[in-house]
Amino acid sequence: MEMAIQVTYRRTRRLSMRIVKNGDVHVSAPIGLPRKEIERFIDEHREWIAEARKKTQEHQDRRAAFYNQLPLQTRAQGDEALKRLKNLVEPMVERHAQMMGVKPTGITYKAMKSRWGVCHVRTRVICFSAYLLLLPEWCVEHVVVHELCHLLEPSHNARFHALMDMYFPRWKEARKMTRQNV
């Protein structure tokens, strides 16, 4: 597996590095630090780099395997997923919105891999990921309540968490389960 090393000079006191999703190494170095010291730092951490790249690749493979469980390559597959998703999500939205005293102006669906749902607070439109179909139903319900709570509190502050506690007491457990699935 080919690897690129990117060095960025910053206002920092020490050298640090991280592995990014594609397996490349990003090194942050104090401004003015000689290149030789950076190269030595990288050489001293070759084992760590190899192990971290391996873990990153394993994580990417698990993630890809998870999302590949839902075929969305053809129009028919997309239509079928959308139908199943609407049947799953919309009754939950209706039930919880009524209980919470909120009303989204619209519900949309996309094949998002970076997030399970998005609440556009200004327009009051909520968008859900098609990949919710891969989660246990109670985890989907957690996402629905989470997005509806944003209609009452836009940010993830203490009030938001108190609303989650009130409307979906097992939200922390559901979030943990959801993260374990991916």
Side-chain angles (χ1 to χ4, degrees):
M1 187 163 55
E2 195 60 35
M3 155 181 79
I5 298 175
Q6 178 185 325
V7 177
T8 307
Y9 290 94
R10 303 179 189 274
R11 287 190 184 139
T12 182
R13 293 181 189 267
R14 60 186 179 86
L15 279 164
S16 64
M17 75 172 99
R18 65 187 179 94
I19 309 300
V20 293
K21 286 180 183 176
N22 68 359
D24 288 352
V25 179
H26 286 194
V27 178
S28 293
I31 296 169
L33 189 73
R35 189 77 186 185
K36 286 270 186 233
E37 283 190 47
I38 296 168
E39 288 168 4
R40 191 182 73 231
F41 176 76
I42 293 167
D43 284 339
E44 287 172 359
H45 291 86
R46 288 280 173 201
E47 280 184 39
W48 178 88
I49 291 170
E51 189 59 34
R53 291 183 79 224
K54 182 179 161 204
K55 283 182 183 173
T56 299
Q57 186 59 52
E58 287 169 357
H59 175 73
Q60 294 296 94
D61 292 347
R62 274 193 317 274
R63 197 173 149 77
F66 174 80
Y67 287 113
N68 288 339
Q69 292 176 85
L70 183 66
L72 294 173
Q73 284 73 39
T74 67
R75 177 71 172 223
Q77 290 171 333
D79 290 347
E80 173 62 26
L82 180 63
K83 185 176 148 198
R84 286 176 44 219
L85 194 57
K86 282 182 171 187
N87 289 337
L88 176 66
V89 170
E90 291 181 8
M92 289 180 189
V93 170
E94 206 171 302
R95 186 172 70 252
H96 286 285
Q98 190 174 12
M99 206 168 38
M100 296 166 73
V102 296
K103 188 162 177 56
T105 56
I107 297 171
T108 61
Y109 304 93
K110 270 191 202 167
M112 299 184 289
K113 291 183 180 178
S114 60
R115 42 183 55 169
W116 298 111
V118 180
C119 178
H120 301 283
V121 178
R122 208 170 25 80
T123 60
R124 302 181 72 77
V125 172
I126 297 175
C127 181
F128 292 103
S129 171
Y131 295 102
L132 285 171
L133 290 170
L134 299 174
L135 296 177
E137 196 169 316
W138 72 287
C139 291
V140 175
E141 192 169 5
H142 154 254
V143 173
V144 167
V145 173
H146 180 108
E147 298 310 330
L148 289 171
C149 278
H150 281 306
L151 296 175
L152 296 169
E153 178 53 56
S155 65
H156 292 119
N157 59 17
R159 180 172 180 257
F160 176 86
H161 292 116
L163 289 166
M164 285 299 296
D165 288 338
M166 183 172 22
Y167 294 115
F168 199 84
R170 294 178 62 200
W171 71 271
K172 288 178 185 168
E173 193 181 337
R175 182 179 63 181
K176 185 178 178 183
M177 169 77 85
T178 301
R179 288 177 175 166
Q180 285 173 350
N181 272 303
V182 181

